[in-house]
Amino acid sequence: MSNANFSFVLETPARSAAEAQEHFAAKLTVETDAWDVKTDLERGRTNFIVIDVRSREAYDERHIAGAISLPYRSMNAETTAQLPKDKVMVTYCWHPGCNSSTKGALRLAALGFRVKELIGGLEYFIKEGGRVEGTLES
């Protein structure tokens, strides 16, 4: 039997406007989207580095043009020593169902880097028309 007055949306109350503003502002400091990355790359922006955190084999098949391969499981002080601390690192994996970019972002942050996660990953970067490289057809 259904209760016409029950709301799944409102079962958990919404935060106040001020609390929601604080949450969403904080969220944007650690995330970026495919269109923003694609557009900044097209404009030649160099104040961030795009990092593919998937396996080297996946990177070789297809990756964001200009991205570097740094699988998250291999991230440590030695493997990241060449990365500049004055640039923001942008991590990505394959698609929204993959959390390797989150794991990579966490590891980079723990190593002292400023980092943002590319939401949607490579899948959404391709959907936005971003340029890719690799052995597979685009």
Side-chain angles (χ1 to χ4, degrees):
M1 192 163 167
S2 67
N3 178 348
N5 293 323
F6 176 80
S7 169
F8 288 101
V9 172
L10 302 177
E11 180 177 22
T12 302
R15 300 305 277 298
S16 71
E19 291 170 322
Q21 180 183 5
E22 183 178 328
H23 166 79
F24 291 115
K27 186 176 176 179
L28 290 172
T29 67
V30 294
E31 291 181 349
T32 188
D33 70 20
W35 187 91
D36 291 347
V37 171
K38 176 189 88 70
T39 302
D40 273 0
L41 289 173
E42 289 172 350
R43 292 178 177 175
R45 295 300 305 239
T46 60
N47 51 346
F48 63 93
I49 295 175
V50 181
I51 301 176
D52 188 317
V53 302
R54 303 172 302 145
S55 70
R56 182 63 192 211
E57 295 77 25
Y59 173 87
D60 288 343
E61 288 178 354
R62 184 178 295 142
H63 59 271
I64 293 173
I68 64 170
S69 175
L70 186 56
Y72 81 89
R73 285 189 174 100
S74 69
M75 289 179 181
N76 57 46
E78 293 78 34
T79 61
T80 61
Q82 80 286 357
L83 297 175
K85 296 268 181 152
D86 64 335
K87 294 188 179 189
V88 171
M89 304 298 127
V90 176
T91 62
Y92 76 89
C93 54
W94 172 236
H95 57 68
C98 172
N99 69 358
S100 295
S101 59
T102 304
K103 292 172 184 175
L106 176 60
R107 288 186 183 205
L108 288 169
L111 291 164
F113 292 93
R114 292 178 304 135
V115 62
K116 287 191 171 202
E117 181 179 19
L118 171 56
I119 57 174
L122 182 59
E123 177 184 13
Y124 280 71
F125 185 82
I126 292 169
K127 286 181 179 187
E128 288 290 349
R131 197 166 67 82
V132 295
E133 300 171 328
T135 59
L136 294 179
E137 293 292 322
S138 298

